[in-house]
Amino acid sequence: MTAINDCQPIAGCCVLNDVDAVAYHQRWAVIDEYSLILNRDTCPALARISVSLAFGYLVIRAEGMLRLDIPLDVIEDDDSAMRTAQLGQHTVKVIDEGDLAAAWVTNCLGVKARLVKFHPDVPVPVSWW
């Protein structure tokens, strides 16, 4: 049974039971080199990633990795960070979290990947997830 405060800030990763994290439910995702959004079926290693919230950051951890802090509330106005990603038959707008985050998820998962945040125009949680 799922508690009312359960959420996954990064789709496919650990579940948090934190009332403060509910606003960030499935706000981020991991995409592969073909811009396909990964889930635990396509990338079981996502289960290695744990997340928490601290001092305005999404804190991302995995065993054997240094932690990665991603600012929670950043206004997405940098066009160079905009991308599209595929979720099933749907194309959605996302914002790339940058090369450092990409290196982190690539090293953690063992596959070329990038951390992206769903664009504010995309309804989250994504209804067709």
Side-chain angles (χ1 to χ4, degrees):
M1 178 158 43
T2 304
I4 196 159
N5 294 329
D6 283 355
C7 69
Q8 282 182 317
I10 302 175
C13 295
C14 77
V15 173
L16 295 178
N17 186 342
D18 180 344
V19 69
D20 294 328
V22 171
Y24 302 101
H25 180 61
Q26 292 185 355
R27 177 54 60 192
W28 288 269
V30 178
I31 61 172
D32 67 11
E33 62 186 313
Y34 306 106
S35 295
L36 300 174
I37 295 174
L38 300 176
N39 60 43
R40 285 197 189 177
D41 291 336
T42 58
C43 184
L46 284 172
R48 293 188 59 217
I49 298 175
S50 67
V51 297
S52 61
L53 302 182
F55 306 108
Y57 288 88
L58 178 69
V59 180
I60 306 170
R61 293 185 170 94
E63 188 173 330
M65 303 282 299
L66 295 174
R67 83 183 218 180
L68 176 66
D69 293 359
I70 302 291
L72 289 172
D73 298 309
V74 174
I75 297 171
E76 285 77 18
D77 61 355
D78 182 0
D79 288 338
S80 69
M82 301 292 177
R83 307 177 153 249
T84 59
Q86 286 298 123
L87 181 59
Q89 300 298 318
H90 302 278
T91 300
V92 294
K93 292 192 300 187
V94 295
I95 296 97
D96 193 308
E97 290 289 4
D99 292 338
L100 178 63
W104 195 97
V105 293
T106 294
N107 288 333
C108 179
L109 302 177
V111 296
K112 189 171 178 162
R114 298 193 75 82
L115 180 65
V116 296
K117 183 177 185 178
F118 287 105
H119 190 277
D121 292 346
V122 176
V124 176
V126 179
S127 60
W128 56 82
W129 190 258

